[in-house]
Amino acid sequence: MILLFIQDNIRCDWLTGIICEVTTMGNKGLIWLVLLLFLLIYPKTRKLGMVAGISFLICVGVAETIKNLVMRPRPFLSMAELVPLVKPPHSYSFPSVHTVSSFSVAWILLWSQEGKAVRYTVFAFALLMAFSRLYVGVHYPSDVLTGILLAFLGSYAVWRWQGHKTK
């Protein structure tokens, strides 16, 4: 299984510290809320911040609803050999809300007119956040992939509805 492969072959001391910090930044969507705040503060990016914020709220709301409907247990509860590297979450596993919150903002920025460095850095950080959930052992790969897809669909709908207002 992928999670055990990561645990047995990729985890190492220097990387674990970094990945645990990254995953912690995603708790409650904190890093993304801070980014949204910065986008909203500056007049040049305010409209983009509003669109990304709408995407964040809708996507996270849908993900939390699905999570509580599906009620999938965390992988470390069904795989005794999997050791989580962070305090085990008490919520359900499917989908990964860390991933949804990350990509709900990252997709919007990727489609925007912001500079390439900003767009690609945010998108790369969203990918790292998604990977971190696997690395720390609190999500199945399908939780993360579904989170990326769910955020894509929600963000795309918001972008089609409001994206033209970012210019």
Side-chain angles (χ1 to χ4, degrees):
M1 166 156 254
I2 293 172
L3 297 176
L4 294 177
F5 177 83
I6 291 170
Q7 176 177 279
D8 297 340
N9 298 290
I10 299 176
R11 283 185 183 175
C12 61
D13 291 339
W14 70 270
L15 187 56
T16 294
I18 295 168
I19 296 292
C20 286
E21 285 298 320
V22 167
T23 213
T24 299
M25 286 186 227
N27 291 350
K28 308 286 188 217
L30 186 59
I31 189 74
W32 305 107
L33 292 171
V34 169
L35 175 59
L36 289 171
L37 181 63
F38 277 108
L39 290 172
L40 291 168
I41 287 172
Y42 296 103
K44 179 184 174 218
T45 58
R46 189 166 293 142
K47 290 177 183 177
L48 178 60
M50 288 190 301
V51 172
I54 292 167
S55 175
F56 178 89
L57 291 172
I58 290 172
C59 292
V60 169
V62 169
E64 287 288 357
T65 301
I66 292 170
K67 184 180 285 269
N68 289 301
L69 289 172
V70 173
M71 297 188 293
R72 182 184 198 181
R74 298 281 178 167
F76 55 82
L77 295 174
S78 59
M79 300 168 56
E81 61 273 48
L82 183 62
V83 178
L85 296 178
V86 294
K87 181 181 174 191
H90 296 293
S91 62
Y92 297 110
S93 186
F94 181 87
S96 166
V97 176
H98 273 72
T99 303
V100 170
S101 64
S102 300
F103 278 91
S104 67
V105 175
W107 288 120
I108 296 295
L109 264 68
L110 187 67
W111 298 327
S112 77
Q113 297 298 315
E114 283 305 303
K116 283 183 182 180
V118 171
R119 292 184 295 153
Y120 295 143
T121 299
V122 169
F123 199 81
F125 193 79
L127 286 169
L128 182 59
M129 180 68 69
F131 175 73
S132 78
R133 305 308 285 165
L134 303 174
Y135 186 94
V136 301
V138 296
H139 278 291
Y140 292 99
S142 57
D143 300 340
V144 169
L145 292 174
T146 300
I148 293 169
L149 178 62
L150 178 61
F152 176 83
L153 295 173
S155 297
Y156 184 73
V158 170
W159 183 255
R160 292 288 302 199
W161 174 54
Q162 290 288 308
H164 66 280
K165 294 182 180 179
T166 64
K167 297 173 184 162

